[in-house]
Amino acid sequence: MKYDLIVIGGGASGMCSAIAAARRGASVCILEQGKLPGRKLLATGNGKCNYTNELMDASYFRSDDPAGIGAVLEQYPAPAIVAFFEELGIRPMSRNGYLYPASGQASSVRKALEMECRYLKVAIRTEFRAEKAEKLPNGDFQVWSGDACCRGRKLVLSCGSCAAPKTGSDGSGYSLAAQLGHSFIPPVPALVQLECAGKFFRNWSGVRVQGKVTLFTGGKAAGSDQGELQLTEYGISGIPVFQVSRYASKALAGHIPVAVGLNFFPEQNPRKFSEEMSRFLEKQSYKGISDALGGALPEKLTAVLLGRAGIKPDWIWPSIPVSRQRMLLGLMQRFNLEVSGTKGFDSAQVCAGGVRLREICANTMESLLVPGLYLTGELLDADGLCGGYNLHWAWATGLIAGKHAGENL
Ligand SMILES: Cc1cc2nc3c(=O)[nH]c(=O)nc-3n(C[C@H](O)[C@H](O)[C@H](O)COP(=O)(O)OP(=O)(O)OC[C@H]3O[C@@H](n4cnc5c(N)ncnc54)[C@H](O)[C@@H]3O)c2cc1C
């Protein structure tokens, strides 16, 4: 059977493409390599699915060709995505502007999308791994998996990236796009934990502390973010680390040195902080420094800072040489670490890089190189910050592609 539209990849953006096209009367077939469409959705937002954000504009996204991002978001701002999901029965719940389904369950989002596809009679062919995609001389597209073949008048590539391959997407979309003539920026892990050089990490493993992380590439500040930092046995994690990690991945791929500075007291300027902290510690001169800091920093972190400043935990503040006092106060606001790597694609939530946006028309998501071909979601060179931005991009690009692919058939 020949379909009006084939969608490769039954994830977030693929199901949206299929729904938008089928609502316009197109016959649609989704080819999904997994057993279940939208499996990655189940893992999103810690199982709660942060599906969009009230604050939505192009500044929350990164790309080598950022020009097209605004055009996508203008067509589908956050209220349009909320309205789309409300129609599917998903009521929004806002947590400081981060939007989740009121059910608190990512599974409700996945199910609502699949049910809408089924209601619209979208064929969902699971366990079909597209290996080859070609455009035939008559303009049709043909997709192969071994000997099995599927033919359509138009084709949407919604294969995702190579982040979190256990949930389905394994990077095969890049080679399918390349087979059809597209180029892509090599993907690197983003929204990912950072591994750091050093041997002391076991000592601070498990600490969660408020702070600011600033990432330096080649000695220059590339990005910073503030919030709960997680100190781990390999280095650092937590949302602020995720937010800057794409710059680390890109630099490491180019063999550029990467470092981070951690500030555990980011609210105060260094001079004021030194004065206040010194007074605070002086008042507790009857205690060892480790106990004196007990109400200001987690114990394990204090031990690491004291170790680096060469201060014994039972020394009292006035007995500590001034140079070491200064070093300790400095470390509290600028604890430097060399970044040696990331936790890789397996642990990354998304990828930075992908098919170049300059090869796509942002108003329709149609390829500028191959008429009738559309590309969506994380396969493209656009990565959003943590906070619902990546799913928003997936829904918006999917809906735009499906709308245009489903027209004039
Ligand atoms: C742990 C985790 C948590 C996350 N949490 C959030 C969050 O809360 N909010 C947010 O905005 N973003 C979140 N993200 C990111 C978000 O899930 C993705 O950006 C989004 O799912 C991308 O949608 P997509 O349709 O482009 O790709 P995917 O959702 O990855 O879908 C691609 C689909 O294509 C299929 N496929 C791939 N290649 C082939 C092939 N050759 N043949 C057939 N099928 C193929 C895959 O099996 C997959 O089902 C999270 C990601 C992870 C890993």
Side-chain angles (χ1 to χ4, degrees):
M1 172 175 172
K2 183 167 117 182
Y3 294 91
D4 290 329
L5 181 66
I6 300 173
V7 179
I8 307 182
S13 69
M15 283 197 277
C16 282
S17 302
I19 289 168
R23 282 181 178 173
R24 282 162 180 80
S27 61
V28 185
C29 178
I30 293 178
L31 303 176
E32 165 55 47
Q33 64 185 357
K35 287 188 175 142
L36 185 77
R39 186 167 157 220
K40 186 177 277 183
L41 287 172
L42 300 175
T44 57
N46 281 328
K48 292 185 167 54
C49 188
N50 175 202
Y51 70 101
T52 183
N53 197 302
E54 285 168 8
L55 293 180
M56 183 61 61
D57 65 49
S59 68
Y60 296 97
F61 295 83
R62 307 282 174 263
S63 168
D64 278 19
D65 304 321
I69 292 174
V72 168
L73 301 179
E74 266 168 37
Q75 293 178 74
Y76 280 97
I81 294 299
V82 170
F84 168 75
F85 278 103
E86 277 192 311
E87 248 182 84
L88 301 189
I90 301 295
R91 288 170 63 88
M93 180 184 65
S94 175
R95 282 199 206 147
N96 302 322
Y98 293 54
L99 292 167
Y100 295 83
S103 64
Q105 291 180 316
S107 55
S108 62
V109 175
R110 195 211 68 78
K111 199 169 172 188
L113 288 166
E114 185 180 351
M115 286 182 83
E116 182 69 3
C117 286
R118 305 254 180 225
Y119 169 72
L120 292 165
K121 308 231 173 335
V122 171
I124 303 180
R125 229 166 132 177
T126 53
E127 299 183 79
F128 186 108
R129 180 180 159 78
E131 287 156 354
K132 192 176 152 200
E134 58 190 349
K135 185 161 182 169
L136 303 174
N138 70 352
D140 286 353
F141 290 88
Q142 200 154 253
V143 181
W144 293 91
S145 179
D147 294 337
C149 172
C150 189
R151 191 185 270 217
R153 291 169 68 190
K154 293 186 178 177
L155 176 65
V156 183
L157 284 187
S158 302
C159 304
S161 68
C162 44
K166 275 192 192 142
T167 59
S169 60
D170 55 5
S172 55
Y174 304 118
S175 56
L176 292 171
Q179 284 170 22
L180 290 159
H182 278 277
S183 62
F184 61 90
I185 296 161
V188 293
L191 302 187
V192 67
Q193 306 87 339
L194 296 180
E195 293 176 333
C196 299
K199 288 190 180 144
F200 64 87
F201 298 113
R202 214 176 287 160
N203 300 335
W204 76 8
S205 170
V207 169
R208 287 170 182 251
V209 61
Q210 291 298 314
K212 179 174 177 180
V213 57
T214 305
L215 189 105
F216 299 88
T217 58
K220 287 191 191 140
S224 70
D225 199 52
Q226 203 169 315
E228 189 184 75
L229 302 172
Q230 293 175 27
L231 310 179
T232 70
E233 68 212 4
Y234 54 79
I236 50 174
S237 180
I239 288 177
V241 173
F242 280 19
Q243 306 289 40
V244 297
S245 60
R246 56 119 44 216
Y247 300 109
S249 287
K250 288 243 173 194
L252 290 166
H255 306 290
I256 296 167
V258 181
V260 287
L262 304 181
N263 184 346
F264 302 110
F265 295 91
E267 311 299 349
Q268 283 176 302
N269 76 48
R271 225 177 86 198
K272 199 159 173 240
F273 169 73
S274 276
E275 286 167 9
E276 279 186 19
M277 185 54 87
S278 301
R279 275 201 299 275
F280 171 80
L281 293 171
E282 257 160 41
K283 276 193 208 150
Q284 302 182 73
S285 294
Y286 59 95
K287 293 177 186 165
I289 179 72
S290 173
D291 290 332
L293 279 170
L297 283 170
E299 203 177 336
K300 284 179 169 182
L301 176 56
T302 298
V304 169
L305 296 177
L306 292 177
R308 210 179 250 200
I311 297 172
K312 294 256 157 48
D314 57 347
W315 290 0
I316 57 167
W317 182 248
S319 74
I320 299 171
V322 173
S323 61
R324 288 187 197 266
Q325 285 183 351
R326 283 205 188 118
M327 193 190 292
L328 178 62
L329 295 171
L331 286 171
M332 290 182 196
Q333 285 201 307
R334 176 88 189 254
F335 188 84
N336 290 336
L337 288 165
E338 183 193 328
V339 176
S340 54
T342 74
K343 287 305 254 181
F345 290 117
D346 283 351
S347 303
Q349 289 198 359
V350 296
C351 284
V355 175
R356 291 178 189 278
L357 285 186
R358 70 178 73 146
E359 296 176 359
I360 316 290
C361 167
N363 293 326
T364 61
M365 303 318 293
E366 187 169 10
S367 160
L368 294 171
L369 312 179
V370 187
L373 172 67
Y374 298 76
L375 297 97
T376 69
E378 219 185 292
L379 175 63
L380 298 167
D381 171 33
D383 52 293
L385 292 180
C386 245
Y389 297 100
N390 290 294
L391 280 174
H392 185 100
W393 176 255
W395 318 128
T397 52
L399 290 169
I400 294 170
K403 176 178 161 195
H404 291 277
E407 274 168 0
N408 308 320
L409 281 160

